[in-house]
Amino acid sequence: DVLIHSADLSGQALKPELAQQWGQRVIQEFKDLAAKESKEGLPIAPFMQGLEDPLRAAKTQQTFISYVLLPLWGTVVDIFPELKFLHENVHENLRYYNCQIESLTPPLDLQRNSSENGSITGPITPKSSAKRRSASPRRLPLDRD
């Protein structure tokens, strides 16, 4: 089963140039399926929603690689060590999507300003660890009775 699943999910184990092409094809397939399901009044899987947004698409790829592909290809390499280069490709492709996410994520101060007028939604995340260290911690209101 592991080999069949790894073969089926091998797109992100390819070299980055090919993996990105496969990733774009999968995202397009998800967008097409979501549109068809919407048209037919069917529920749309959350991970297939909003993929027109490049940030959302990159996060979808990042999540899939992190939680599905890295463990899967780690198991494959445990069984077939000569396939380590594929696992390394998965790591390289994850770095690509991490960079995409970082470049597409507005700076923390822009997110705060925009969220006040409603133009950006979703969680506020720092753009880099440097910003994370320099940002003041959020304070929660205390209930005082």
Side-chain angles (χ1 to χ4, degrees):
D1 283 347
V2 171
L3 286 179
I4 291 173
H5 288 300
S6 59
D8 185 39
L9 302 175
S10 64
Q12 293 302 313
L14 300 171
K15 292 185 182 261
E17 309 79 45
L18 293 173
Q20 291 166 28
Q21 291 176 23
W22 276 109
Q24 291 169 356
R25 290 175 182 147
V26 168
I27 293 295
Q28 186 59 53
E29 182 180 341
F30 288 166
K31 290 192 294 190
D32 293 345
L33 182 58
K36 183 177 180 182
E37 288 174 344
S38 177
K39 184 178 177 181
E40 294 177 10
L42 298 170
I44 302 168
F47 71 91
M48 290 189 191
Q49 296 175 7
L51 295 177
E52 299 77 21
D53 175 12
L55 178 58
R56 177 85 184 225
K59 286 182 176 182
T60 296
Q61 292 289 51
Q62 177 199 47
T63 301
F64 182 68
I65 291 171
S66 296
Y67 294 102
V68 177
L69 296 184
L70 284 176
L72 174 67
W73 282 97
T75 300
V76 171
V77 169
D78 288 345
I79 299 167
F80 301 101
E82 63 273 11
L83 297 179
K84 184 178 180 185
F85 72 97
L86 295 172
H87 194 238
E88 291 168 354
N89 287 345
V90 174
H91 278 281
E92 188 173 349
N93 291 318
L94 177 59
R95 284 190 295 275
Y96 168 79
Y97 289 111
N98 286 339
C99 288
Q100 287 291 105
I101 290 166
E102 186 172 331
S103 71
L104 293 168
T105 301
L108 185 57
D109 56 344
L110 177 61
Q111 289 182 21
R112 283 194 179 135
N113 292 338
S114 297
S115 65
E116 291 172 5
N117 66 25
S119 63
I120 293 181
T121 60
I124 296 176
T125 55
K127 186 170 181 179
S128 71
S129 58
K131 285 194 183 279
R132 194 174 308 124
R133 285 189 299 273
S134 66
S136 61
R138 289 189 185 186
R139 297 181 191 264
L140 299 175
L142 299 174
D143 292 330
R144 298 181 196 249
D145 294 321

